[in-house]
Amino acid sequence: MEITGLIEDVRVKVKEWRSKGLSVGFVPTMGFLHEGHESLIVKAAAENDKVVVSDFVNPIQFGVNEDLASYPRDIEADKRLCEAAGADLIFHPIPETMYAPDFSTFVEAQHVSAELCGKSRPTHFRGVCTVVCKLFHIVMPDRAYFGQKDAQQLAVIRRMVRDLDMDIEIVGCPIIREADGLAKSSRNTYLNEEERQAALVLSKAVFYGEEMIKNGIVEADTVLTEMRRMIEAEPLAKIDYVEMVNADSIEKIEKAEGNVLIAVAVWIGTTRLIDNFIIEV
Ligand code: PAF
């Protein structure tokens, strides 16, 4: 496995693979990799001849008061995980490589970015789309792998790829959870012991909502009220949102019908965590 910070190195390597007729899978990450990322790399390695992983904390997807400076980083551990999972190349640029001082071109998937995380993080998806678009142009993969934990991000990327005619297959992969249900996230490392316990309220609410829908309760109001009640019972939890939307358009729906996404974002102390489930009704 190789690692480089240079765009040109990635291009040369991918061209070499392509000239031999090899397929390329791509896993974009912000590093501090865990089993969730590992599952994406393993899947990419199973479905492609070569796998590129990007490891880049993208400054333009963080708001001014967000955790860019404190976002966890550990490139040595990332290298070990990537190699064991079957990656061939890590792209680990510095911000200056990705953004010229006068960088001024952005990609925005408008409507699909408006609800859920887009409300409290208004510039977040513009930053995600812009960096993913740049990374796609650098790597030129056949397939790119994203976790369903960031369900809105997945919908936003699919929309960008569709709208801009990018010839890349977007592969959504299931949420990977801790044994007690907490969705794996690099941000879980911010939680102290008491908060880690309190954070279980997200997965509990998500599982409860899923069970209600499976039992035929389809009114958003009923499902969401019960889920909110459950989260509000946890003293350390503060709800950002608990919503039911169409999983493709991210538009609010009043009744569970079609491809349904129930998504939650909850502050546990100073850490904002997300979780969700998708169900075809
Ligand atoms: O999901 C992430 O880690 C990031 O949003 C992504 C897709 C790597 C873009 O920076």
Side-chain angles (χ1 to χ4, degrees), residues 213 244-245 247 253 256-262 277-281:
I213 294 183
M244 184 189 286
V245 297
I253 48 179
E257 215 164 35
N259 196 16
V260 177
L261 165 66
I262 298 226
F277 71 94
I278 292 181
I279 187 165
E280 190 68 41
V281 185

Side-chain angles (χ1 to χ4, degrees), residues 49-89:
D49 298 312
K50 296 288 177 188
V51 176
V52 181
V53 176
S54 64
D55 189 311
F56 176 60
V57 182
N58 173 35
I60 68 164
Q61 70 185 72
F62 289 79
V64 270
N65 294 320
E66 292 183 357
D67 56 344
L68 172 63
S70 60
Y71 196 84
R73 293 156 168 92
D74 187 346
I75 189 63
E76 291 309 318
D78 290 351
K79 278 195 233 170
R80 288 192 293 275
L81 184 145
C82 284
E83 178 129 51
D88 297 281
L89 177 65

Side-chain angles (χ1 to χ4, degrees), residues 194-235:
E194 197 189 354
E195 291 167 341
R196 170 68 184 74
Q197 203 52 35
L200 288 178
V201 77
L202 278 91
S203 53
K204 280 188 187 147
V206 158
F207 297 154
Y208 188 54
E210 186 171 13
E211 219 34 58
M212 277 193 279
I213 294 183
K214 282 184 178 160
N215 287 328
I217 303 167
V218 290
E219 281 71 31
D221 215 27
T222 314
V223 176
L224 300 177
T225 302
E226 285 305 310
M227 289 174 69
R228 286 189 189 114
R229 212 195 305 273
M230 197 164 190
I231 297 169
E232 279 159 6
E234 167 52 60

Side-chain angles (χ1 to χ4, degrees), residues 141-159:
D142 297 287
R143 296 177 197 88
Y145 296 77
F146 293 86
Q148 191 207 293
K149 199 198 121 230
D150 297 296
Q152 187 175 16
Q153 170 171 283
L154 184 55
V156 165
I157 299 294
R158 285 193 201 282
R159 183 62 62 93

